[in-house]
Amino acid sequence: MTVNEDSFTHWKHREEIAESMIPIIGKLHRERDVTVLLHSRSLVNKSVVSILKTHRFARQIAGEELSVTETLPFLQALTTLDLGPSQIDIGLLAEAHRADDRGLSVAEFTAEAVAGATGAHKIDRREPRDVVLYGFGRIGRLLARLLIEKSGSGNGLRLRAIVVRRGGEQDIVKRASLLRRDSVHGQFQGTITVDEAESTITANGNTIKVIYANDPSEIDYTAYGVKNAILIDNTGKWRDREGLSQHLRPGVDKVVLTAPGKGDVPNIVHGVNHDTLKPDERILSCASCTTNAIVPPLKAMADEYGVLRGHVETVHSFTNDQNLLDNYHKSERRGRSAPLNMVITETGAASAVAKALPDLDATITGSSIRVPVPDVSIAILNLQLARPTNRQEVLDHLRKVSLTSPLKRQIDFISAPDAVSSDFIGSRHASIVDAGALKVEGDNAILYLWYDNEFGYSCQVVRVVQYVSGVEYPTFPAPAA
């Protein structure tokens, strides 16, 4: 057999194994509310090739590729356990078992590692929590995709309604079409049907009521069967407590804003300060996409090295509030054509750091340039550290944080030397450390952080909503502190 034939045979064998994993992953998700992960990446509803690519990506983080032959036994071991709702990372299980010297079998080690999700320790399935989207623009439609994707077993979050202003004839048909096809994020994964008479969109079996209203005061959500809902305001029209309180109508329990909150509205970055939320808090903000991108790695650096001061420069994709061609705009420069210019503008991300990291005793300044790309931005975080270090030490630290720390869902890590912005469209992390671009000299470190300012941010919003709704299930093995 030639080398080429041997390589192809090996590939076909791995395809066969990955194919056998799909029904196991699906059954665990549907029947037990168990989400199978591989290094924080969900394997639910993934194709054979996607599963193999995710295994290969482990090389970027851990230094060597994971094989499906290594992870399949752990997946099979999970099927023999009395599992409750949870997230289980088979990549971490495989690596932890490899490092364990007690001679435990895969079945024994797996049972021990996920004991907190079995038997008397397992948590009960949560009742579905209603969610309402107020607004249906770029972020609103991505949130809809994520919520529909995560409806899975029928538990957890359930998108019940979307509130918009009527845009004219066939409004609901056009909005459904925008959900179905997206120029940046591609096709919706599933089926969508529209009932104009009932004003509903049904996506992958989820029937969503489209409510037309010009103002929150016009709506009684209980009239549509919505109860105890979390309303996500992605219009940005109201950003203080007084304005957002208008959403606290019959049927709505909490309000989550997808923009920086003003005044005493808590600004939450999941993974950093979400656990500071008080149970009785009814109004909160998920801050901005850039705040979510810089705060987790800033915390990772501050915890390890200390940070005395810093500056963040964001090179940000253009957004809907800019003009397609030169025209009047209330801001100084945003009226100039977005696809034809780089546009210097302000960012509130630096000042928002203080809200998310109140214990950080460092001044962080910031500025931003909008550039002619439709999605994915990069934040350049220039830090003066409290102690000198070197490039390899920082790389090792950030790689470890992205792999095993409580911030592993927020921080990703890539060492590909030819990475560019479009490579990160669809990233579910808040930010991705570009290893090749990192610069360290003494007590100065410059981090280059990619982020999908639409999809990655939307994933952070959903994580916050899961947390406040009580449907954020524990992850096993537990991440290192």
Side-chain angles (χ1 to χ4, degrees):
M1 182 178 290
T2 67
V3 173
N4 286 344
E5 288 174 336
D6 184 58
S7 178
F8 184 67
T9 300
H10 182 53
W11 169 260
K12 299 300 286 185
H13 177 60
R14 287 186 295 159
E15 274 190 322
E16 185 179 0
I17 293 174
E19 196 171 61
S20 73
M21 299 171 82
I22 292 174
I24 301 174
I25 294 166
K27 190 173 183 180
L28 285 169
H29 186 60
R30 286 191 308 274
E31 297 184 1
R32 305 193 197 180
D33 257 4
V34 173
T35 300
V36 177
L37 310 173
L38 189 95
H39 288 313
S40 302
R41 289 166 165 78
S42 173
L43 296 182
V44 176
N45 292 329
K46 294 297 187 289
S47 68
V48 167
V49 171
S50 180
I51 289 173
L52 292 174
K53 285 180 67 177
T54 305
H55 278 75
R56 183 170 177 79
F57 188 81
R59 185 179 61 175
Q60 299 271 14
I61 304 173
E64 58 183 313
E65 183 176 343
L66 261 179
S67 170
V68 286
T69 59
E70 292 179 80
T71 57
L72 177 60
F74 294 92
L75 186 60
Q76 292 170 327
L78 293 177
T79 65
T80 68
L81 301 174
D82 180 28
L83 289 169
S86 55
Q87 300 184 100
I88 299 178
D89 196 315
I90 58 174
L92 291 185
L93 278 175
E95 290 198 353
H97 181 253
R98 189 188 301 161
D100 191 81
D101 59 2
R102 293 175 295 165
L104 297 179
S105 68
V106 167
E108 291 168 334
F109 185 85
T110 301
E112 178 184 274
V114 303
T118 62
H121 300 291
K122 68 180 183 181
I123 61 177
D124 295 328
R125 282 189 172 192
R126 305 285 194 252
E127 286 296 313
R129 186 70 178 269
D130 290 353
V131 177
V132 173
L133 293 177
Y134 198 95
F136 205 49
R138 299 296 301 154
I139 300 301
R141 292 194 296 274
L142 290 177
L143 289 173
R145 287 188 175 202
L146 286 165
L147 292 166
I148 292 162
E149 171 194 298
K150 293 179 180 297
S151 60
S153 62
N155 294 277
L157 302 174
R158 181 172 58 175
L159 177 57
R160 294 295 309 280
I162 295 164
V163 182
V164 292
R165 292 182 177 181
R166 188 179 294 277
E169 192 175 338
Q170 288 197 307
D171 180 277
I172 191 170
V173 173
K174 293 175 181 177
R175 293 186 188 277
S177 183
L178 286 169
L179 177 62
R180 188 180 289 115
R181 288 177 287 272
D182 189 279
S183 299
V184 174
H185 300 282
Q187 298 276 344
F188 174 80
Q189 296 301 303
T191 62
I192 293 175
T193 57
V194 176
D195 187 330
E196 288 188 82
E198 294 295 323
S199 191
T200 60
I201 296 172
T202 300
N204 292 358
N206 297 269
T207 299
I208 307 157
K209 184 72 175 180
V210 178
I211 302 170
Y212 291 102
N214 294 316
D215 190 81
S217 63
E218 300 176 10
I219 312 167
D220 178 350
Y221 292 97
T222 60
Y224 304 97
V226 176
K227 59 181 181 180
N228 196 35
I230 297 174
L231 182 145
I232 306 175
D233 183 332
N234 53 89
T235 68
K237 184 176 180 179
W238 304 281
R239 292 171 57 185
D240 59 13
R241 187 173 296 274
E242 181 182 2
L244 293 168
S245 294
Q246 298 176 78
H247 290 304
L248 294 173
R249 305 283 299 156
V252 172
D253 178 56
K254 294 180 185 291
V255 179
V256 176
L257 171 65
T258 63
K262 295 183 177 181
D264 67 342
V265 175
N267 280 251
I268 302 301
V269 174
H270 190 275
V272 175
N273 68 335
H274 66 276
D275 54 359
T276 64
L277 272 171
K278 298 176 182 177
D280 60 351
E281 180 60 75
R282 301 186 71 189
I283 295 175
L284 60 134
S285 156
C286 289
S288 71
C289 56
T290 302
T291 302
N292 276 265
I294 65 173
V295 166
L298 180 57
K299 175 176 169 53
M301 293 297 289
D303 288 348
E304 180 67 18
Y305 302 103
V307 172
L308 301 181
R309 65 178 60 86
H311 176 81
V312 60
E313 186 77 38
T314 66
V315 182
H316 199 291
S317 57
F318 62 76
T319 63
N320 263 340
D321 90 311
Q322 293 174 258
N323 289 334
L324 189 62
L325 294 172
D326 289 3
N327 209 343
Y328 172 80
H329 195 290
K330 62 181 180 180
S331 295
E332 292 293 334
R333 305 182 201 240
R334 292 194 192 186
R336 302 299 298 277
S337 172
L340 296 179
N341 294 289
M342 292 190 291
V343 179
I344 297 173
T345 187
E346 71 281 349
T347 176
S351 59
V353 168
K355 287 191 173 184
L357 284 175
D359 295 333
L360 181 68
D361 187 19
T363 299
I364 307 294
T365 59
S367 53
S368 180
I369 303 173
R370 298 284 178 91
V371 295
V373 294
D375 187 31
V376 179
S377 305
I378 190 167
I380 304 166
L381 189 57
N382 192 332
L383 303 175
Q384 182 184 353
L385 307 177
R387 68 174 175 87
T389 181
N390 60 68
R391 186 173 185 274
Q392 191 57 52
E393 183 186 345
V394 175
L395 279 176
D396 291 343
H397 171 61
L398 292 174
R399 182 186 290 110
K400 183 178 179 182
V401 166
S402 73
L403 182 63
T404 62
S405 82
L407 290 170
K408 64 182 182 178
R409 284 199 290 170
Q410 282 70 45
I411 301 175
D412 203 359
F413 185 95
I414 188 165
S415 55
D418 57 350
V420 293
S421 62
S422 61
D423 296 333
F424 306 103
I425 294 174
S427 169
R428 293 173 183 249
H429 288 78
S431 65
I432 306 100
V433 176
D434 191 313
L438 175 73
K439 292 176 172 53
V440 180
E441 185 173 345
D443 64 354
N444 178 240
I446 305 174
L447 280 61
Y448 288 74
L449 308 165
W450 298 102
Y451 58 109
D452 184 329
N453 47 277
E454 293 185 337
F455 196 75
Y457 175 68
S458 296
C459 289
Q460 281 287 89
V461 173
V462 169
R463 290 173 189 133
V464 171
V465 174
Q466 286 178 313
Y467 178 78
V468 299
S469 66
V471 298
E472 184 179 48
Y473 296 136
T475 300
F476 299 94

